Amino acid sequence: MAGTTPTAISRLTVVLPANAGARYPLKNSNFPSSSGLNGHFPPPISSLRTNRRLKVLAQTAGAPSKDVSALELAAKVGQDRLLKVPVSNIRNFCIIAHIDHGKSTLADKLLEITGTVQKREMKEQFLDNMDLERERGITIKLQAARMRYVHGNVPHCLNLIDTPGHVDFSYEVSRSLAACEGALLVVDASQGVEAQTLANVYLALENNLEIIPVLNKIDLPGADPDRVAKEIEEVIGMDCSNAILCSAKEGIGIIEILDAIVERIPPPLDTSSKALRALIFDSYYDPYRGVIAYFRVIDGTMKKGDRIYFINSGKDYFADEIGVLSPSQMQAEKLYAGEVGYLSASIRSVADARVGDTITHYGRKAEEPLPGYQEVTPMVFCGLFPVDADQFPELRDALEKLQLNDAALKFEPETSSAMGFGFRCGFLGLLHMEIIQERLEREYNLSLITTAPSVVYRVYRSDAEMIECSNPSLLPEPGKRKSIEEPYVKIEMLTPKDYIGSLMELAQDRRAVFKEMKYIAENRASLIYEMPLAEMVGDFFDQLKSRSKGYASMEYTLIGYRESDLVKLDILINGDCVDPLATIVHKDKAYGVGRALTQKLKELIPRQMFKVPIQASIGSKVIASEAISAIRKDVLAKCYGGDISRKKKLLKKQAEGKKRMKAIGKVDVPQEAFMAVLKLEKEVV
């Protein structure tokens, strides 16, 4: 790529670098400003593109000499990001939004406009570096990036943290917010306020962050910024008179966003003279360098080579390498209060540098550790078993390393008579469970079987003792338990008014209790229900999207436990109870689930030399039954007539043999049958 590109604008030739980071004023040029478009929305696409091109050219032009190559310029821009700026010129902010409202696209454009990423290296979803994120088009992990931006001829350091949008990854969002002073609230100008928009705003308000509302996708034909701004004011109660109108895809309004970040988000406190306290907000395991921790320096300074101490784990190491994320790792000699960076200290044990721990100096320890993060409570549980039993140690190591990167994951060992050794894992939701399983299979080359998702029940025994049970096989016998309580969630569904009826029907089918309905705009309503979590961990979200043609969104919070009429549904094959197939269901649904499971097993289990009964039972009462007929030899083939008693004798002899065979016979349930039935359980439970 050539280092410079001559571009003629308004009879003025400007020499543009490949991608420079400084704002450079151009004399005698009259560029249209995107802020001048506010009265005409949505403006014509052609004018948006023209303005975007002119705006980008005007704001990213640098002043390199003709003999400076593109590589030298890129190196200079990279070095500029490492130059120290006063603490008053540092801004730490994150981007929060509902799924698919344009967070990652906006982050890409900010990186491009500020010259943080060279144009030749730029690609869509630049910060989403997992294949899984690119395939699904969602953000799973928070990502940090340091940018340099010149505002009013004064250089500023902007630390951006891009966050996920799905409710299952809200723990990532909360950790990001704790490392920032401000947040960009991105709302789609055509979709409006959605469920996760509200949830993320409340998280930001809890952390006392300065929130800048940004209306994205104004270039879409269906965009209505005035309506959406009014919706934000009515639903959230936030003043939108100074909301920024932008199109991340077309590059409109990006400079206004950067200016607003500098002008409206407060700088961090200057506490460099205090004892070092740094908060670890993320980490991952590198097979060559060990644990790499991402941290925000709250107080004091950290230098390369310092002996550091982790307060919660009580371990100490030497900081072999420190630096900033921009967005790739760039080494630095020293980091000050208010800055965000990474640390490599040859940490081999994943337990030594956990998310939420406080880093301080070994020689000058801080008196108080930082508050850290609230311990996350898993909502959904399932069993993870390796297909090959020899892979159990690899699965344990993989889960430990993945837990370092995803602090919301919880696990404990579990044994199953059918599937051997594995782990009982806790997740924040179904998507979280699916992503973890895929990451284990892709990143660690494991073949896994997952059991049906379940929730934690509280079981009160006859002796008044309370136990928590997430595995149906551990549920006490009916005579030993007094009652069972299940977790309930408060669920809020935001939907266009056309789909209110079908969503109400869906909620009532799932034992939900109606609480409130209100119109947040002329054609959008909010439905609030209280529902058992067990009813939501199946295909509720899929059904919600299907019935509303993709327009509805939902958000839920745990509100406590309530007593319910729940039973343990056992599956018996040839009279033997198969623990991995047991489930806890509501009494009213037990027959339907039992019938579906027995019919599926009849199709999957191969025929034996004897008759195999398949039963679904509640305690000793069988509620659904199927039978696999025996493979029979035709013992009457050699009889060419004669008395009937001869045939009866042969048939009786065969029946006695089958009876003996059944008494000592064992039915092997194939792995494929388990996997198919577990998949069915996920659909019907």
Side-chain angles (χ1 to χ4, degrees):
M1 181 182 291
T4 59
T5 309
T7 305
I9 306 173
S10 303
R11 301 186 302 282
L12 173 66
T13 300
V14 183
V15 179
L16 293 180
N19 202 348
R23 297 181 61 186
Y24 193 75
L26 300 173
K27 295 179 181 177
N28 304 324
S29 57
N30 184 20
F31 294 123
S33 167
S34 57
S35 60
L37 298 171
N38 290 0
H40 310 284
F41 275 104
I45 297 295
S46 57
S47 70
L48 292 176
R49 285 177 180 152
T50 305
N51 287 333
R52 184 266 303 177
R53 185 172 66 254
L54 297 174
K55 193 71 178 173
V56 172
L57 293 175
Q59 298 293 352
T60 61
S65 59
K66 291 182 181 178
D67 55 345
V68 177
S69 70
L71 288 173
E72 286 174 312
L73 181 63
K76 184 178 182 302
V77 171
Q79 287 302 314
D80 284 349
R81 296 201 297 281
L82 292 175
L83 294 179
K84 185 179 183 310
V85 298
V87 175
S88 59
N89 291 354
I90 295 175
R91 301 290 185 271
N92 297 314
F93 72 100
C94 61
I95 305 176
I96 55 176
H98 190 80
I99 314 150
D100 203 30
H101 277 210
K103 289 183 304 301
S104 297
T105 312
L106 179 58
D108 290 350
K109 193 57 72 173
L110 291 172
L111 294 175
E112 185 181 336
I113 293 290
T114 56
T116 307
V117 178
Q118 301 304 303
K119 192 144 190 143
R120 63 178 176 274
E121 298 171 359
M122 203 64 208
K123 56 187 176 184
E124 287 186 8
Q125 290 179 264
F126 187 87
L127 290 176
D128 294 346
N129 48 25
M130 261 192 268
D131 291 340
L132 208 53
E133 291 179 310
R134 296 184 169 281
E135 286 171 20
R136 290 173 175 256
I138 59 173
T139 303
I140 295 167
K141 280 296 301 170
L142 63 88
Q143 297 291 341
R146 175 171 170 145
M147 303 178 290
R148 185 178 176 85
Y149 179 64
V150 180
H151 177 72
N153 294 325
V154 179
H156 287 76
C157 171
L158 310 181
N159 289 312
L160 155 70
I161 301 180
D162 188 24
T163 62
H166 198 282
V167 64
D168 282 15
F169 305 114
S170 57
Y171 193 55
E172 295 279 320
V173 180
S174 64
R175 298 210 315 273
S176 306
L177 295 173
C180 298
E181 279 84 35
L184 296 180
L185 173 67
V186 180
V187 181
D188 188 327
S190 59
Q191 300 276 357
V193 175
E194 298 202 53
Q196 205 55 32
T197 311
L198 293 171
N200 288 331
V201 167
Y202 297 146
L203 278 174
L205 291 173
E206 282 174 19
N207 285 272
N208 298 317
L209 300 193
E210 178 67 34
I211 300 173
I212 302 173
V214 175
L215 304 184
N216 193 19
K217 304 189 183 181
I218 59 168
D219 57 316
L220 293 180
D224 189 353
D226 293 334
R227 173 184 64 81
V228 173
K230 188 179 175 186
E231 211 172 273
I232 293 172
E233 289 181 343
E234 290 177 355
V235 178
I236 302 174
M238 186 183 295
D239 180 20
C240 280
S241 58
N242 55 358
I244 300 167
L245 305 171
C246 85
S247 168
K249 191 174 183 182
E250 295 292 338
I252 304 159
I254 305 300
I255 298 302
E256 282 83 346
I257 291 174
L258 288 166
D259 289 342
I261 290 166
V262 172
E263 292 164 6
R264 288 155 63 178
I265 292 177
L269 298 173
D270 188 357
T271 53
S272 299
S273 57
K274 293 186 178 180
L276 171 66
R277 289 197 306 171
L279 176 69
I280 300 176
F281 65 85
D282 198 15
S283 55
Y284 71 94
Y285 189 84
D286 186 295
Y288 302 104
R289 297 190 293 167
V291 177
I292 308 294
Y294 293 174
F295 61 89
R296 154 86 189 270
V297 184
I298 307 295
D299 300 326
T301 59
M302 183 190 292
K303 288 187 293 189
K304 182 179 177 180
D306 280 354
R307 189 176 184 184
I308 55 170
Y309 180 74
F310 295 91
I311 293 180
N312 292 343
S313 63
K315 305 288 183 180
D316 63 282
Y317 292 92
F318 286 95
D320 300 331
E321 181 187 324
I322 64 170
V324 298
L325 301 149
S326 187
S328 56
Q329 294 175 0
M330 299 176 70
Q331 292 190 38
E333 290 297 318
K334 195 172 184 180
L335 291 175
Y336 298 83
E339 292 191 293
V340 174
Y342 74 91
L343 162 75
S344 173
S346 302
I347 304 168
R348 291 294 162 191
S349 172
V350 294
D352 290 355
R354 290 287 188 197
V355 165
D357 203 346
T358 302
I359 304 172
T360 187
H361 280 131
Y362 186 79
R364 186 191 174 193
K365 294 188 177 73
E367 295 178 5
E368 290 280 328
L370 293 163
Y373 300 108
Q374 185 178 352
E375 194 71 19
V376 68
T377 305
M379 307 277 273
V380 178
F381 288 81
C382 85
L384 279 179
F385 296 89
V387 171
D388 181 1
D390 294 338
Q391 285 190 323
F392 177 75
E394 286 94 328
L395 176 59
R396 182 181 56 231
D397 292 344
L399 283 169
E400 285 176 356
K401 289 172 183 174
L402 203 55
Q403 190 181 43
L404 186 71
N405 190 234
D406 187 346
L409 171 66
K410 304 286 183 221
F411 63 91
E412 58 184 28
E414 181 185 33
T415 310
S416 163
S417 56
M419 289 175 280
F421 294 101
F423 290 92
R424 190 83 181 160
C425 302
F427 310 93
L428 293 183
L430 279 183
L431 179 65
H432 188 210
M433 181 180 96
E434 202 177 314
I435 294 294
I436 291 293
Q437 186 191 348
E438 281 203 45
R439 288 187 68 184
L440 286 168
E441 290 177 347
R442 289 186 185 205
E443 296 173 23
Y444 300 96
N445 297 319
L446 298 169
S447 298
L448 300 173
I449 303 166
T450 58
T451 61
S454 62
V455 299
V456 179
Y457 297 94
R458 286 181 179 169
V459 184
Y460 289 89
R461 298 164 62 104
S462 304
D463 56 3
E465 183 190 354
M466 189 273 286
I467 58 170
E468 291 194 339
C469 174
S470 63
N471 191 341
S473 60
L474 301 177
L475 197 68
E477 294 297 317
K480 295 181 180 177
R481 63 177 186 252
K482 184 180 176 185
S483 63
I484 304 176
E485 290 184 353
E486 63 178 335
Y488 264 70
V489 291
K490 178 186 175 185
I491 179 168
E492 182 174 11
M493 298 178 279
L494 297 185
T495 174
K497 63 181 181 182
D498 299 345
Y499 309 111
I500 291 173
S502 59
L503 293 188
M504 280 185 157
E505 184 186 352
L506 171 66
Q508 282 156 5
D509 288 345
R510 303 299 178 102
R511 298 192 284 131
V513 180
F514 176 75
K515 286 295 171 186
E516 187 183 357
M517 183 179 88
K518 57 186 176 185
Y519 278 85
I520 58 174
E522 189 180 335
N523 60 346
R524 282 169 66 80
S526 164
L527 299 172
I528 298 175
Y529 279 87
E530 290 179 358
M531 178 191 295
L533 179 60
E535 295 286 346
M536 208 190 70
V537 299
D539 62 343
F540 183 82
F541 185 70
D542 295 338
Q543 286 289 326
L544 176 94
K545 288 293 182 186
S546 175
R547 293 190 184 210
S548 65
K549 298 181 182 174
Y551 285 108
S553 59
M554 59 171 265
E555 197 266 326
Y556 61 89
T557 49
L558 191 67
I559 56 172
Y561 280 75
R562 297 180 188 176
E563 187 174 335
S564 296
D565 193 3
L566 301 169
V567 293
K568 180 187 174 188
L569 183 68
D570 286 313
I571 300 294
L572 288 81
I573 298 176
N574 197 29
D576 296 329
C577 185
V578 184
D579 285 341
L581 298 180
T583 54
I584 297 173
V585 295
H586 193 266
K587 198 169 184 179
D588 295 343
K589 293 193 168 188
Y591 174 75
V593 175
R595 171 63 60 198
L597 291 176
T598 52
Q599 287 176 347
K600 191 69 177 177
L601 280 169
K602 183 182 178 182
E603 296 171 16
L604 296 166
I605 295 176
R607 290 175 70 191
Q608 309 291 319
M609 295 297 291
F610 50 91
K611 183 180 177 182
V612 179
I614 302 168
Q615 299 164 315
S617 70
I618 299 171
S620 57
K621 182 184 177 184
V622 175
I623 60 168
S625 179
E626 295 286 342
I628 303 172
S629 56
I631 301 172
R632 293 177 66 238
K633 180 184 175 184
D634 189 1
V635 292
L636 303 181
K638 58 185 177 182
C639 295
Y640 295 98
D643 190 54
I644 189 70
S645 60
R646 173 69 180 156
K647 293 181 181 179
K648 284 184 176 178
K649 182 182 175 185
L650 289 170
L651 291 169
K652 186 179 177 185
K653 188 178 178 184
Q654 184 188 41
E656 286 173 356
K658 296 282 183 194
K659 190 176 178 182
R660 274 199 311 276
M661 204 181 286
K662 184 176 180 179
I664 61 170
K666 187 179 177 216
V667 181
D668 287 327
V669 181
Q671 203 73 57
E672 296 77 22
F674 268 110
M675 294 171 78
V677 171
L678 293 173
K679 189 177 179 184
L680 179 73
E681 278 188 359
K682 292 173 189 177
E683 294 168 5
V684 299
V685 173

